[in-house]
Amino acid sequence: MPHTLLVLNGPNLNLLGTREPATYGRETLDDIAALCQRTGAENGLDIEFRQTNHEGQLIDWIHQARGRCAGILINPAAWTHTSVAIRDALAAVELPVIEVHLSNVHAREAFRQHSYVSGIAVGVIAGLGSDGYRAGIQHLAKRLQG
Ligand code: DQA
């Protein structure tokens, strides 16, 4: 049975394509979902790709991944910088987590330079646009192959 990876996206990422394109590019979330599906298929992984603007929904999806998914790639968006609850949920399910950001958060406002998630993540990718999603999935695939 192929492993399943959960790819989660936080608030406002549904607006990609039209949202601040100078910062986030012109690709839509559907484009990124298609890239993730392709990358998953190339690496023998099933991808579940989701986005929500509701923090509790994201937490429920993280909880449901326990025992069902092999890893989580997450762009927590603004919740990166605000949510202890999302960090705690990710820590609770004991799955390998990769944090990804389209933009280089470290080259932006000071409030974006702290992440509640990074401390429990296997790794963090920022500033590579959708390539970061691809790299994150490839890395998780490699880990799963041992
Ligand atoms: C983001 C960076 C966050 O600071 C911001 O709140 C987002 C998107 C990124 O992908 O670059 O919504 O996570």
Side-chain angles (χ1 to χ4, degrees), residues 121-140:
V122 166
V124 182
I125 304 168
L128 304 186
S130 61
D131 285 351
Y133 283 72
R134 188 167 168 76
I137 291 169
Q138 286 170 333
H139 181 80
L140 284 169

Side-chain angles (χ1 to χ4, degrees), residues 11 13 19 24 75-78 80-81 100-103 105 108 112:
L13 294 173
R19 175 193 180 199
Y24 298 116
N75 183 345
T80 308
H81 319 297
V100 64
H101 300 283
L102 294 159
S103 65
V105 284
R108 299 181 62 195
R112 293 187 204 277

Side-chain angles (χ1 to χ4, degrees), residues 29-142:
L29 195 64
D30 281 350
D31 294 332
I32 295 176
L35 172 69
C36 290
Q37 295 295 352
R38 275 201 308 279
T39 308
E42 286 162 13
N43 288 278
L45 295 170
D46 284 339
I47 301 292
E48 283 184 16
F49 188 96
R50 299 185 187 169
Q51 187 274 331
T52 182
N53 294 321
H54 303 277
E55 190 173 356
Q57 174 66 84
L58 193 79
I59 291 168
D60 287 343
W61 286 340
I62 293 167
H63 291 176
Q64 289 158 14
R66 187 175 206 155
R68 207 176 56 78
C69 295
I72 299 177
L73 176 72
I74 184 167
N75 183 345
W79 293 326
T80 308
H81 319 297
T82 63
S83 181
V84 176
I86 288 172
R87 176 203 173 100
D88 285 352
L90 290 166
V93 296
E94 296 179 322
L95 292 170
V97 172
I98 294 185
E99 176 184 344
V100 64
H101 300 283
L102 294 159
S103 65
N104 180 358
V105 284
H106 301 290
R108 299 181 62 195
E109 301 95 327
F111 68 83
R112 293 187 204 277
Q113 289 169 35
H114 174 261
S115 165
Y116 281 104
V117 173
S118 299
I120 55 84
V122 166
V124 182
I125 304 168
L128 304 186
S130 61
D131 285 351
Y133 283 72
R134 188 167 168 76
I137 291 169
Q138 286 170 333
H139 181 80
L140 284 169
K142 207 166 152 186

